[in-house]
PDB file of all heavy atoms in Angstrom:
ATOM      1  N   VAL A 901      27.169  13.563 -11.969  1.00 94.00           N
ATOM      2  CA  VAL A 901      25.758  13.226 -11.726  1.00 94.00           C
ATOM      3  C   VAL A 901      24.991  13.360 -13.032  1.00 94.00           C
ATOM      4  O   VAL A 901      25.339  14.183 -13.886  1.00 94.00           O
ATOM      5  CB  VAL A 901      25.128  14.132 -10.645  1.00 94.00           C
ATOM      6  CG1 VAL A 901      25.848  13.959  -9.310  1.00 94.00           C
ATOM      7  CG2 VAL A 901      25.155  15.591 -11.072  1.00 94.00           C
ATOM      8  N   PRO A 902      23.958  12.568 -13.242  1.00 92.00           N
ATOM      9  CA  PRO A 902      23.149  12.697 -14.460  1.00 92.00           C
ATOM     10  C   PRO A 902      22.368  14.005 -14.462  1.00 92.00           C
ATOM     11  O   PRO A 902      22.099  14.586 -13.405  1.00 92.00           O
ATOM     12  CB  PRO A 902      22.219  11.481 -14.389  1.00 92.00           C
ATOM     13  CG  PRO A 902      22.188  11.096 -12.955  1.00 92.00           C
ATOM     14  CD  PRO A 902      23.511  11.459 -12.390  1.00 92.00           C
ATOM     15  N   GLU A 903      22.010  14.477 -15.646  1.00 89.00           N
ATOM     16  CA  GLU A 903      21.362  15.778 -15.774  1.00 89.00           C
ATOM     17  C   GLU A 903      19.987  15.827 -15.104  1.00 89.00           C
ATOM     18  O   GLU A 903      19.538  16.892 -14.680  1.00 89.00           O
ATOM     19  CB  GLU A 903      21.204  16.131 -17.256  1.00 89.00           C
ATOM     20  CG  GLU A 903      20.329  15.147 -18.041  1.00 89.00           C
ATOM     21  CD  GLU A 903      20.092  15.616 -19.465  1.00 89.00           C
ATOM     22  OE1 GLU A 903      20.251  16.818 -19.718  1.00 89.00           O
ATOM     23  OE2 GLU A 903      19.739  14.774 -20.308  1.00 89.00           O
ATOM     24  N   ASN A 904      19.329  14.690 -14.954  1.00 88.00           N
ATOM     25  CA  ASN A 904      17.991  14.677 -14.359  1.00 88.00           C
ATOM     26  C   ASN A 904      18.016  14.527 -12.838  1.00 88.00           C
ATOM     27  O   ASN A 904      16.970  14.404 -12.208  1.00 88.00           O
ATOM     28  CB  ASN A 904      17.143  13.559 -14.975  1.00 88.00           C
ATOM     29  CG  ASN A 904      17.768  12.178 -14.773  1.00 88.00           C
ATOM     30  OD1 ASN A 904      18.895  12.064 -14.292  1.00 88.00           O
ATOM     31  ND2 ASN A 904      17.029  11.141 -15.156  1.00 88.00           N
ATOM     32  N   LEU A 905      19.207  14.524 -12.250  1.00 87.00           N
ATOM     33  CA  LEU A 905      19.333  14.373 -10.799  1.00 87.00           C
ATOM     34  C   LEU A 905      19.477  15.748 -10.149  1.00 87.00           C
ATOM     35  O   LEU A 905      20.350  16.524 -10.521  1.00 87.00           O
ATOM     36  CB  LEU A 905      20.542  13.505 -10.449  1.00 87.00           C
ATOM     37  CG  LEU A 905      20.802  13.295  -8.959  1.00 87.00           C
ATOM     38  CD1 LEU A 905      19.689  12.453  -8.334  1.00 87.00           C
ATOM     39  CD2 LEU A 905      22.157  12.627  -8.729  1.00 87.00           C
ATOM     40  N   ASP A 906      18.604  16.045  -9.197  1.00 87.00           N
ATOM     41  CA  ASP A 906      18.685  17.297  -8.458  1.00 87.00           C
ATOM     42  C   ASP A 906      19.778  17.144  -7.392  1.00 87.00           C
ATOM     43  O   ASP A 906      19.544  16.617  -6.311  1.00 87.00           O
ATOM     44  CB  ASP A 906      17.339  17.626  -7.809  1.00 87.00           C
ATOM     45  CG  ASP A 906      17.351  18.988  -7.120  1.00 87.00           C
ATOM     46  OD1 ASP A 906      18.346  19.721  -7.264  1.00 87.00           O
ATOM     47  OD2 ASP A 906      16.367  19.308  -6.426  1.00 87.00           O
ATOM     48  N   PHE A 907      20.995  17.594  -7.733  1.00 86.00           N
ATOM     49  CA  PHE A 907      22.139  17.345  -6.854  1.00 86.00           C
ATOM     50  C   PHE A 907      22.228  18.316  -5.679  1.00 86.00           C
ATOM     51  O   PHE A 907      22.979  18.078  -4.740  1.00 86.00           O
ATOM     52  CB  PHE A 907      23.440  17.415  -7.659  1.00 86.00           C
ATOM     53  CG  PHE A 907      23.671  18.736  -8.353  1.00 86.00           C
ATOM     54  CD1 PHE A 907      24.239  19.802  -7.683  1.00 86.00           C
ATOM     55  CD2 PHE A 907      23.318  18.897  -9.679  1.00 86.00           C
ATOM     56  CE1 PHE A 907      24.458  21.008  -8.324  1.00 86.00           C
ATOM     57  CE2 PHE A 907      23.530  20.101 -10.331  1.00 86.00           C
ATOM     58  CZ  PHE A 907      24.103  21.168  -9.650  1.00 86.00           C
ATOM     59  N   GLU A 908      21.479  19.420  -5.723  1.00 84.00           N
ATOM     60  CA  GLU A 908      21.534  20.381  -4.628  1.00 84.00           C
ATOM     61  C   GLU A 908      21.004  19.751  -3.341  1.00 84.00           C
ATOM     62  O   GLU A 908      19.860  19.274  -3.297  1.00 84.00           O
ATOM     63  CB  GLU A 908      20.748  21.639  -4.972  1.00 84.00           C
ATOM     64  CG  GLU A 908      21.343  22.425  -6.139  1.00 84.00           C
ATOM     65  CD  GLU A 908      20.567  23.694  -6.452  1.00 84.00           C
ATOM     66  OE1 GLU A 908      19.373  23.765  -6.086  1.00 84.00           O
ATOM     67  OE2 GLU A 908      21.164  24.591  -7.052  1.00 84.00           O
ATOM     68  N   GLU A 909      21.848  19.741  -2.311  1.00 84.00           N
ATOM     69  CA  GLU A 909      21.559  19.158  -0.998  1.00 84.00           C
ATOM     70  C   GLU A 909      21.387  17.636  -1.056  1.00 84.00           C
ATOM     71  O   GLU A 909      21.001  17.019  -0.066  1.00 84.00           O
ATOM     72  CB  GLU A 909      20.320  19.797  -0.365  1.00 84.00           C
ATOM     73  CG  GLU A 909      20.443  21.303  -0.172  1.00 84.00           C
ATOM     74  CD  GLU A 909      19.227  21.884   0.500  1.00 84.00           C
ATOM     75  OE1 GLU A 909      18.269  21.124   0.790  1.00 84.00           O
ATOM     76  OE2 GLU A 909      19.226  23.103   0.739  1.00 84.00           O
ATOM     77  N   ARG A 910      21.678  17.049  -2.208  1.00 89.00           N
ATOM     78  CA  ARG A 910      21.516  15.608  -2.377  1.00 89.00           C
ATOM     79  C   ARG A 910      22.533  14.828  -1.529  1.00 89.00           C
ATOM     80  O   ARG A 910      22.227  13.755  -1.004  1.00 89.00           O
ATOM     81  CB  ARG A 910      21.700  15.251  -3.857  1.00 89.00           C
ATOM     82  CG  ARG A 910      21.660  13.768  -4.186  1.00 89.00           C
ATOM     83  CD  ARG A 910      20.257  13.250  -4.260  1.00 89.00           C
ATOM     84  NE  ARG A 910      20.189  11.870  -4.714  1.00 89.00           N
ATOM     85  CZ  ARG A 910      19.068  11.192  -4.905  1.00 89.00           C
ATOM     86  NH1 ARG A 910      17.903  11.785  -4.695  1.00 89.00           N
ATOM     87  NH2 ARG A 910      19.098   9.955  -5.323  1.00 89.00           N
ATOM     88  N   PHE A 911      23.734  15.410  -1.394  1.00 93.00           N
ATOM     89  CA  PHE A 911      24.802  14.690  -0.696  1.00 93.00           C
ATOM     90  C   PHE A 911      25.175  15.339   0.641  1.00 93.00           C
ATOM     91  O   PHE A 911      26.160  14.943   1.265  1.00 93.00           O
ATOM     92  CB  PHE A 911      26.061  14.633  -1.584  1.00 93.00           C
ATOM     93  CG  PHE A 911      25.817  14.111  -2.964  1.00 93.00           C
ATOM     94  CD1 PHE A 911      25.706  14.967  -4.048  1.00 93.00           C
ATOM     95  CD2 PHE A 911      25.680  12.746  -3.192  1.00 93.00           C
ATOM     96  CE1 PHE A 911      25.493  14.489  -5.328  1.00 93.00           C
ATOM     97  CE2 PHE A 911      25.472  12.247  -4.464  1.00 93.00           C
ATOM     98  CZ  PHE A 911      25.369  13.125  -5.539  1.00 93.00           C
ATOM     99  N   ASP A 912      24.410  16.320   1.080  1.00 92.00           N
ATOM    100  CA  ASP A 912      24.795  17.082   2.264  1.00 92.00           C
ATOM    101  C   ASP A 912      24.914  16.222   3.517  1.00 92.00           C
ATOM    102  O   ASP A 912      25.811  16.428   4.335  1.00 92.00           O
ATOM    103  CB  ASP A 912      23.791  18.211   2.517  1.00 92.00           C
ATOM    104  CG  ASP A 912      23.987  19.367   1.532  1.00 92.00           C
ATOM    105  OD1 ASP A 912      24.887  19.256   0.667  1.00 92.00           O
ATOM    106  OD2 ASP A 912      23.256  20.370   1.630  1.00 92.00           O
ATOM    107  N   ASP A 913      24.029  15.243   3.683  1.00 93.00           N
ATOM    108  CA  ASP A 913      24.099  14.398   4.885  1.00 93.00           C
ATOM    109  C   ASP A 913      25.370  13.535   4.877  1.00 93.00           C
ATOM    110  O   ASP A 913      25.978  13.278   5.920  1.00 93.00           O
ATOM    111  CB  ASP A 913      22.859  13.530   4.997  1.00 93.00           C
ATOM    112  CG  ASP A 913      22.648  12.642   3.774  1.00 93.00           C
ATOM    113  OD1 ASP A 913      23.027  13.065   2.664  1.00 93.00           O
ATOM    114  OD2 ASP A 913      22.124  11.523   3.937  1.00 93.00           O
ATOM    115  N   ILE A 914      25.788  13.105   3.679  1.00 94.00           N
ATOM    116  CA  ILE A 914      27.023  12.326   3.563  1.00 94.00           C
ATOM    117  C   ILE A 914      28.236  13.209   3.866  1.00 94.00           C
ATOM    118  O   ILE A 914      29.161  12.803   4.579  1.00 94.00           O
ATOM    119  CB  ILE A 914      27.153  11.708   2.155  1.00 94.00           C
ATOM    120  CG1 ILE A 914      25.969  10.789   1.865  1.00 94.00           C
ATOM    121  CG2 ILE A 914      28.478  10.947   2.019  1.00 94.00           C
ATOM    122  CD1 ILE A 914      25.968  10.219   0.461  1.00 94.00           C
ATOM    123  N   PHE A 915      28.204  14.426   3.324  1.00 94.00           N
ATOM    124  CA  PHE A 915      29.305  15.353   3.571  1.00 94.00           C
ATOM    125  C   PHE A 915      29.423  15.671   5.056  1.00 94.00           C
ATOM    126  O   PHE A 915      30.529  15.726   5.602  1.00 94.00           O
ATOM    127  CB  PHE A 915      29.103  16.642   2.775  1.00 94.00           C
ATOM    128  CG  PHE A 915      29.142  16.459   1.280  1.00 94.00           C
ATOM    129  CD1 PHE A 915      28.535  17.379   0.436  1.00 94.00           C
ATOM    130  CD2 PHE A 915      29.778  15.371   0.717  1.00 94.00           C
ATOM    131  CE1 PHE A 915      28.571  17.219  -0.939  1.00 94.00           C
ATOM    132  CE2 PHE A 915      29.818  15.190  -0.665  1.00 94.00           C
ATOM    133  CZ  PHE A 915      29.211  16.135  -1.488  1.00 94.00           C
ATOM    134  N   THR A 916      28.306  15.894   5.710  1.00 92.00           N
ATOM    135  CA  THR A 916      28.322  16.197   7.145  1.00 92.00           C
ATOM    136  C   THR A 916      28.886  15.032   7.952  1.00 92.00           C
ATOM    137  O   THR A 916      29.568  15.231   8.966  1.00 92.00           O
ATOM    138  CB  THR A 916      26.904  16.517   7.635  1.00 92.00           C
ATOM    139  OG1 THR A 916      26.380  17.623   6.881  1.00 92.00           O
ATOM    140  CG2 THR A 916      26.899  16.878   9.111  1.00 92.00           C
ATOM    141  N   LYS A 917      28.635  13.827   7.479  1.00 93.00           N
ATOM    142  CA  LYS A 917      29.083  12.628   8.187  1.00 93.00           C
ATOM    143  C   LYS A 917      30.593  12.422   8.081  1.00 93.00           C
ATOM    144  O   LYS A 917      31.249  12.015   9.066  1.00 93.00           O
ATOM    145  CB  LYS A 917      28.348  11.409   7.612  1.00 93.00           C
ATOM    146  CG  LYS A 917      28.703  10.087   8.267  1.00 93.00           C
ATOM    147  CD  LYS A 917      27.880   8.958   7.643  1.00 93.00           C
ATOM    148  CE  LYS A 917      28.258   7.601   8.243  1.00 93.00           C
ATOM    149  NZ  LYS A 917      27.469   6.495   7.607  1.00 93.00           N
ATOM    150  N   TYR A 918      31.166  12.710   6.914  1.00 94.00           N
ATOM    151  CA  TYR A 918      32.569  12.372   6.666  1.00 94.00           C
ATOM    152  C   TYR A 918      33.508  13.576   6.582  1.00 94.00           C
ATOM    153  O   TYR A 918      34.731  13.390   6.632  1.00 94.00           O
ATOM    154  CB  TYR A 918      32.698  11.572   5.369  1.00 94.00           C
ATOM    155  CG  TYR A 918      32.073  10.204   5.421  1.00 94.00           C
ATOM    156  CD1 TYR A 918      30.814   9.972   4.883  1.00 94.00           C
ATOM    157  CD2 TYR A 918      32.733   9.136   6.025  1.00 94.00           C
ATOM    158  CE1 TYR A 918      30.229   8.714   4.929  1.00 94.00           C
ATOM    159  CE2 TYR A 918      32.160   7.875   6.074  1.00 94.00           C
ATOM    160  CZ  TYR A 918      30.903   7.674   5.532  1.00 94.00           C
ATOM    161  OH  TYR A 918      30.327   6.415   5.588  1.00 94.00           O
ATOM    162  N   LEU A 919      32.978  14.787   6.450  1.00 93.00           N
ATOM    163  CA  LEU A 919      33.827  15.946   6.201  1.00 93.00           C
ATOM    164  C   LEU A 919      33.747  16.969   7.327  1.00 93.00           C
ATOM    165  O   LEU A 919      32.689  17.182   7.921  1.00 93.00           O
ATOM    166  CB  LEU A 919      33.427  16.625   4.879  1.00 93.00           C
ATOM    167  CG  LEU A 919      33.424  15.745   3.625  1.00 93.00           C
ATOM    168  CD1 LEU A 919      32.920  16.545   2.429  1.00 93.00           C
ATOM    169  CD2 LEU A 919      34.816  15.183   3.350  1.00 93.00           C
ATOM    170  N   ASP A 920      34.875  17.604   7.596  1.00 90.00           N
ATOM    171  CA  ASP A 920      34.898  18.724   8.538  1.00 90.00           C
ATOM    172  C   ASP A 920      34.331  19.974   7.888  1.00 90.00           C
ATOM    173  O   ASP A 920      33.672  20.786   8.537  1.00 90.00           O
ATOM    174  CB  ASP A 920      36.334  18.995   9.010  1.00 90.00           C
ATOM    175  CG  ASP A 920      36.720  18.153  10.215  1.00 90.00           C
ATOM    176  OD1 ASP A 920      35.811  17.761  10.974  1.00 90.00           O
ATOM    177  OD2 ASP A 920      37.921  17.867  10.398  1.00 90.00           O
ATOM    178  N   SER A 921      34.631  20.156   6.607  1.00 90.00           N
ATOM    179  CA  SER A 921      34.111  21.312   5.876  1.00 90.00           C
ATOM    180  C   SER A 921      34.085  20.989   4.384  1.00 90.00           C
ATOM    181  O   SER A 921      34.834  20.133   3.912  1.00 90.00           O
ATOM    182  CB  SER A 921      34.975  22.555   6.128  1.00 90.00           C
ATOM    183  OG  SER A 921      36.266  22.387   5.589  1.00 90.00           O
ATOM    184  N   TYR A 922      33.209  21.672   3.675  1.00 92.00           N
ATOM    185  CA  TYR A 922      33.141  21.509   2.218  1.00 92.00           C
ATOM    186  C   TYR A 922      32.531  22.761   1.607  1.00 92.00           C
ATOM    187  O   TYR A 922      31.636  23.391   2.180  1.00 92.00           O
ATOM    188  CB  TYR A 922      32.327  20.267   1.834  1.00 92.00           C
ATOM    189  CG  TYR A 922      30.874  20.302   2.258  1.00 92.00           C
ATOM    190  CD1 TYR A 922      29.879  20.760   1.387  1.00 92.00           C
ATOM    191  CD2 TYR A 922      30.489  19.869   3.523  1.00 92.00           C
ATOM    192  CE1 TYR A 922      28.549  20.790   1.774  1.00 92.00           C
ATOM    193  CE2 TYR A 922      29.160  19.893   3.916  1.00 92.00           C
ATOM    194  CZ  TYR A 922      28.192  20.354   3.038  1.00 92.00           C
ATOM    195  OH  TYR A 922      26.870  20.397   3.427  1.00 92.00           O
ATOM    196  N   THR A 923      33.040  23.126   0.444  1.00 91.00           N
ATOM    197  CA  THR A 923      32.509  24.262  -0.301  1.00 91.00           C
ATOM    198  C   THR A 923      32.431  23.890  -1.777  1.00 91.00           C
ATOM    199  O   THR A 923      33.355  23.262  -2.304  1.00 91.00           O
ATOM    200  CB  THR A 923      33.396  25.515  -0.152  1.00 91.00           C
ATOM    201  OG1 THR A 923      34.746  25.197  -0.526  1.00 91.00           O
ATOM    202  CG2 THR A 923      33.389  26.022   1.280  1.00 91.00           C
ATOM    203  N   TYR A 924      31.330  24.287  -2.414  1.00 90.00           N
ATOM    204  CA  TYR A 924      31.171  24.029  -3.843  1.00 90.00           C
ATOM    205  C   TYR A 924      32.068  24.999  -4.610  1.00 90.00           C
ATOM    206  O   TYR A 924      31.913  26.219  -4.514  1.00 90.00           O
ATOM    207  CB  TYR A 924      29.718  24.188  -4.260  1.00 90.00           C
ATOM    208  CG  TYR A 924      28.836  23.035  -3.840  1.00 90.00           C
ATOM    209  CD1 TYR A 924      28.258  22.996  -2.567  1.00 90.00           C
ATOM    210  CD2 TYR A 924      28.579  21.981  -4.708  1.00 90.00           C
ATOM    211  CE1 TYR A 924      27.462  21.931  -2.176  1.00 90.00           C
ATOM    212  CE2 TYR A 924      27.785  20.919  -4.324  1.00 90.00           C
ATOM    213  CZ  TYR A 924      27.221  20.894  -3.061  1.00 90.00           C
ATOM    214  OH  TYR A 924      26.429  19.837  -2.681  1.00 90.00           O
ATOM    215  N   ASP A 925      33.005  24.439  -5.355  1.00 89.00           N
ATOM    216  CA  ASP A 925      33.971  25.255  -6.083  1.00 89.00           C
ATOM    217  C   ASP A 925      33.527  25.510  -7.519  1.00 89.00           C
ATOM    218  O   ASP A 925      33.700  26.594  -8.058  1.00 89.00           O
ATOM    219  CB  ASP A 925      35.332  24.560  -6.068  1.00 89.00           C
ATOM    220  CG  ASP A 925      36.443  25.455  -6.566  1.00 89.00           C
ATOM    221  OD1 ASP A 925      36.439  26.639  -6.188  1.00 89.00           O
ATOM    222  OD2 ASP A 925      37.319  24.980  -7.318  1.00 89.00           O
ATOM    223  N   GLU A 926      32.947  24.490  -8.164  1.00 90.00           N
ATOM    224  CA  GLU A 926      32.555  24.623  -9.569  1.00 90.00           C
ATOM    225  C   GLU A 926      31.505  23.577  -9.916  1.00 90.00           C
ATOM    226  O   GLU A 926      31.551  22.443  -9.436  1.00 90.00           O
ATOM    227  CB  GLU A 926      33.781  24.459 -10.471  1.00 90.00           C
ATOM    228  CG  GLU A 926      33.491  24.616 -11.948  1.00 90.00           C
ATOM    229  CD  GLU A 926      34.719  24.386 -12.813  1.00 90.00           C
ATOM    230  OE1 GLU A 926      35.528  23.502 -12.459  1.00 90.00           O
ATOM    231  OE2 GLU A 926      34.866  25.068 -13.833  1.00 90.00           O
ATOM    232  N   VAL A 927      30.544  23.979 -10.728  1.00 92.00           N
ATOM    233  CA  VAL A 927      29.555  23.054 -11.288  1.00 92.00           C
ATOM    234  C   VAL A 927      29.478  23.331 -12.783  1.00 92.00           C
ATOM    235  O   VAL A 927      29.250  24.468 -13.202  1.00 92.00           O
ATOM    236  CB  VAL A 927      28.155  23.241 -10.655  1.00 92.00           C
ATOM    237  CG1 VAL A 927      27.158  22.291 -11.308  1.00 92.00           C
ATOM    238  CG2 VAL A 927      28.209  23.009  -9.151  1.00 92.00           C
ATOM    239  N   LYS A 928      29.689  22.297 -13.607  1.00 92.00           N
ATOM    240  CA  LYS A 928      29.621  22.500 -15.051  1.00 92.00           C
ATOM    241  C   LYS A 928      29.040  21.268 -15.725  1.00 92.00           C
ATOM    242  O   LYS A 928      29.057  20.164 -15.169  1.00 92.00           O
ATOM    243  CB  LYS A 928      31.002  22.816 -15.612  1.00 92.00           C
ATOM    244  CG  LYS A 928      31.991  21.663 -15.553  1.00 92.00           C
ATOM    245  CD  LYS A 928      33.305  22.066 -16.214  1.00 92.00           C
ATOM    246  CE  LYS A 928      34.297  20.897 -16.228  1.00 92.00           C
ATOM    247  NZ  LYS A 928      35.570  21.276 -16.884  1.00 92.00           N
ATOM    248  N   THR A 929      28.539  21.479 -16.929  1.00 91.00           N
ATOM    249  CA  THR A 929      27.982  20.369 -17.701  1.00 91.00           C
ATOM    250  C   THR A 929      29.089  19.714 -18.517  1.00 91.00           C
ATOM    251  O   THR A 929      30.093  20.340 -18.862  1.00 91.00           O
ATOM    252  CB  THR A 929      26.878  20.866 -18.648  1.00 91.00           C
ATOM    253  OG1 THR A 929      27.428  21.852 -19.542  1.00 91.00           O
ATOM    254  CG2 THR A 929      25.720  21.473 -17.876  1.00 91.00           C
ATOM    255  N   THR A 930      28.900  18.439 -18.829  1.00 89.00           N
ATOM    256  CA  THR A 930      29.875  17.708 -19.632  1.00 89.00           C
ATOM    257  C   THR A 930      29.150  16.637 -20.428  1.00 89.00           C
ATOM    258  O   THR A 930      27.948  16.405 -20.221  1.00 89.00           O
ATOM    259  CB  THR A 930      30.959  17.071 -18.737  1.00 89.00           C
ATOM    260  OG1 THR A 930      31.951  16.472 -19.572  1.00 89.00           O
ATOM    261  CG2 THR A 930      30.371  16.040 -17.806  1.00 89.00           C
ATOM    262  N   ASN A 931      29.859  15.997 -21.337  1.00 86.00           N
ATOM    263  CA  ASN A 931      29.292  14.938 -22.171  1.00 86.00           C
ATOM    264  C   ASN A 931      28.036  15.419 -22.903  1.00 86.00           C
ATOM    265  O   ASN A 931      26.972  14.805 -22.835  1.00 86.00           O
ATOM    266  CB  ASN A 931      28.974  13.702 -21.314  1.00 86.00           C
ATOM    267  CG  ASN A 931      28.803  12.452 -22.158  1.00 86.00           C
ATOM    268  OD1 ASN A 931      29.332  12.348 -23.260  1.00 86.00           O
ATOM    269  ND2 ASN A 931      28.035  11.496 -21.639  1.00 86.00           N
TER     270      ASN A 931
END
């Protein structure tokens, strides 16, 4: 995701739709 995108809870509705469970394992910066 780009640095200016607030990713927290950004994809939660998609995850709830397609996933039985999900856990955030790691978040790091790159590039």
